[in-house]
Amino acid sequence: MPKKNTPHSSLLTPHSLLITGGAGFIGANFVHYWIKNYPDVQVTVLDALTYAGNKANLAPVENHPKFRFVHGDIRHYALVLNLLLDQEIDTIVHFAAESHVDRSIHGPDAFVETNIVGTHTLLKAAKAAWLDTPSAAMNTQTSALGPQPSPYRFHHISTDEVYGSLSPEDPGFCETTAYAPNSPYAASKAASDFLVRAYYKTYGMPMTISNCSNNYGPYQHPEKLIPLLTLNCLEHKPLPIYGDGLNIRDWLYVEDHCRGIDLILKKGRIGETYNIGGNCEKTNLEVVHTVCAILDELKPLSSSTALFTSYSSLLTHVKDRAGHDRRYAIDASKISKELAYMPIETFESGMQKTVQWYLEHPEWCKNVMGENYKKWLAQNYS
Ligand code: NAD
Ligand code: DAU
């Protein structure tokens, strides 16, 4: 059992991380961020490689001496427990999830399985490895200086969608906003948040939660809005916008999310939730016009190959998403005041980098747009 964190420090110094869902979009970006900034810390990725998981997302670090990939399911209790013990994991950063709202409308079961049962399995294993052992009893003993800080951390990655939908005049979601999830995806994430909280209150699991707004950046699966628009533009395909396109999301460049998680791990208070947002509300119409304007610059349409001069001509309004939340916005004042967190990228700089990344990675794009993806497009947009 690792006991390397100094007993009276209120700060966590991770020595061996388990990153679940590390082959997905945000998880992979977090792995790159972490290894770049902390190359001496052991990193183990546990990922089931579902349709959304992609080992190519981890190719740049696969030979790093501190990196280890385990192909497996977070619902596999014995596997998770063995990993926690064998790798002396002291910090879990839990990204693994079914993450796409539209897929949760077509098939909610997988969301209940992974997001709720999977999170619970991880919690049970962490409790067994960290809290139910004789050395854990030593760690939680109180001294004259009060309770000993935990050398462990279970950080749960959640979403702003648990708070439901805002009207135009509402203030942004803060950590005390009542939960009101509207999609099966959001409901399953809400349930997982409650389980993490319950393990803290009941068993003393040293946990933190972050509820983040919409991320964008490299390695995002093209089922999600920004890569879908980018890749459809490149194939001169319609750009499907649900309903009137005036739904609002608060966009955050993925590396800024990773920095926020890092700060919470190191300095966040155990038992607390932190909202992370980009302070960047955009309608979907603004997003699609931004993608088109960037591509008009970076990859101008030539009159000989296209019947139109701007990619925005491809914009097509399609049937609205069932239960489509109108507006999300994050009030990030808690993380800003407590942990001095601020996003670095603007929407303009982050979008430029993102679109450029897709243009520079045609092989990656081709591989994620195979038969399964085509089936999904037919199912969702037919
Ligand atoms: P993603 O769908 O790109 O990646 C999910 C990863 O989890 C994949 O690699 C997949 O293979 C893996 N996975 C799925 N089921 C698994 C299982 N049973 N066992 C092990 N691995 C499994 O998701 P993402 O967009 O990177 O989101 C990551 C996390 O962040 C999720 O928890 C999501 O709810 C949350 N989140 C996402 C956003 C966003 O904008 N994408 C915003 C806020 C919060
Ligand atoms: O808010 C955080 C959430 O952001 C995360 O928890 C989810 O995992 C993540 O998928 C994302 O959910 P959204 O539903 O907001 O993201 P998505 O990219 O699917 O859609 C963004 C907006 O664009 C939303 O209003 C729906 C709309 N949309 C989406 C698609 C795929 C379209 O208009 N057309 C589309 O084809």
Side-chain angles (χ1 to χ4, degrees):
M1 283 294 102
K3 277 192 237 142
K4 296 162 200 152
N5 289 298
T6 53
H8 303 300
S9 159
S10 60
L11 306 179
L12 179 76
T13 307
H15 295 97
S16 181
L17 252 68
L18 177 65
I19 301 180
T20 71
F25 162 49
I26 309 176
N29 277 283
F30 185 77
V31 170
H32 297 307
Y33 168 93
W34 191 270
I35 289 182
K36 190 169 117 202
N37 288 287
Y38 311 105
D40 296 332
V41 176
Q42 189 66 43
V43 168
T44 304
V45 165
L46 173 62
D47 198 297
L49 296 179
T50 67
Y51 81 92
N54 185 351
K55 270 198 92 175
N57 296 354
L58 296 168
V61 294
E62 67 188 358
N63 294 321
H64 191 281
K66 294 288 185 180
F67 174 76
R68 179 167 184 229
F69 180 80
V70 177
H71 183 192
D73 196 308
I74 55 167
R75 291 170 301 167
H76 191 159
Y77 177 79
L79 168 72
V80 176
L81 182 59
N82 283 338
L83 269 181
L84 295 180
L85 298 173
D86 290 352
Q87 298 299 309
E88 299 196 344
I89 302 289
D90 57 15
T91 306
I92 298 175
V93 190
H94 174 34
F95 293 94
E98 288 292 335
S99 69
H100 191 32
V101 173
D102 293 321
R103 288 188 195 252
S104 83
I105 296 167
H106 289 279
D109 299 61
F111 290 72
V112 171
E113 276 299 318
T114 287
N115 300 359
I116 306 178
V117 177
T119 300
H120 185 237
T121 308
L122 277 181
L123 285 164
K124 268 196 308 187
K127 176 174 174 288
W130 294 348
L131 307 180
D132 296 345
T133 61
S135 64
M138 297 284 291
N139 279 328
T140 52
Q141 269 174 9
T142 51
S143 73
L145 292 167
Q148 302 298 292
S150 173
Y152 304 110
R153 186 68 54 85
F154 188 111
H155 182 70
H156 178 57
I157 307 295
S158 192
T159 170
D160 59 0
E161 302 206 9
V162 298
Y163 299 117
S165 184
L166 295 168
S167 311
E169 64 282 358
D170 285 335
F173 303 124
C174 62
E175 290 77 2
T176 52
T177 302
Y179 274 31
N182 291 320
S183 68
Y185 162 69
S188 67
K189 291 297 291 186
S192 66
D193 295 4
F194 287 151
L195 282 167
V196 176
R197 177 191 151 92
Y199 265 65
Y200 165 64
K201 291 281 181 185
T202 306
Y203 306 114
M205 175 63 65
M207 67 73 167
T208 41
I209 300 178
S210 49
N211 292 78
C212 188
S213 62
N214 284 62
N215 284 215
Y216 66 100
Y219 301 110
Q220 188 168 30
H221 191 282
E223 66 188 359
K224 307 284 166 54
L225 182 67
I226 288 173
L228 176 93
L229 297 175
T230 308
L231 299 184
N232 278 17
C233 279
L234 296 178
E235 294 193 333
H236 298 189
K237 285 188 177 160
L239 307 178
I241 294 297
Y242 297 153
D244 62 8
L246 295 176
N247 303 70
I248 291 174
R249 298 292 183 264
D250 176 356
W251 292 96
L252 181 73
Y253 189 66
V254 63
E255 202 175 328
D256 278 328
H257 186 184
C258 296
R259 283 193 309 104
I261 298 165
D262 182 8
L263 277 173
I264 296 169
L265 285 177
K266 301 264 193 52
K267 299 183 186 165
R269 286 182 292 138
I270 286 177
E272 292 290 319
T273 289
Y274 295 88
N275 284 357
I276 310 179
N279 203 13
C280 176
E281 290 183 55
K282 302 282 174 202
T283 64
N284 293 337
L285 287 179
E286 287 174 304
V287 171
V288 67
H289 286 303
T290 303
V291 170
C292 292
I294 295 172
L295 281 170
D296 284 341
E297 283 271 321
L298 295 180
K299 204 162 170 50
L301 291 155
S302 86
S303 51
S304 57
T305 55
L307 299 169
F308 40 88
T309 53
S310 167
Y311 290 99
S312 56
S313 309
L314 295 166
L315 197 163
T316 312
H317 287 272
V318 299
K319 187 169 169 256
D320 209 351
R321 172 186 276 176
H324 197 175
D325 285 336
R326 194 63 173 167
R327 174 176 166 241
Y328 303 145
I330 287 276
D331 171 351
S333 47
K334 178 173 173 180
I335 190 168
S336 153
K337 279 190 201 127
E338 273 191 30
L339 308 180
Y341 173 76
M342 284 286 286
I344 290 175
E345 294 296 339
T346 62
F347 189 62
E348 290 67 31
S349 64
M351 284 295 289
Q352 190 77 27
K353 282 188 184 179
T354 302
V355 173
Q356 184 87 46
W357 187 89
Y358 284 95
L359 284 177
E360 286 168 359
H361 293 82
E363 272 306 302
W364 185 94
C365 297
K366 193 172 146 228
N367 288 337
V368 294
M369 290 162 78
E371 281 315 304
N372 274 345
Y373 180 62
K374 288 190 183 117
K375 274 192 204 146
W376 164 249
L377 295 181
Q379 187 184 5
N380 195 48
Y381 297 95
S382 60

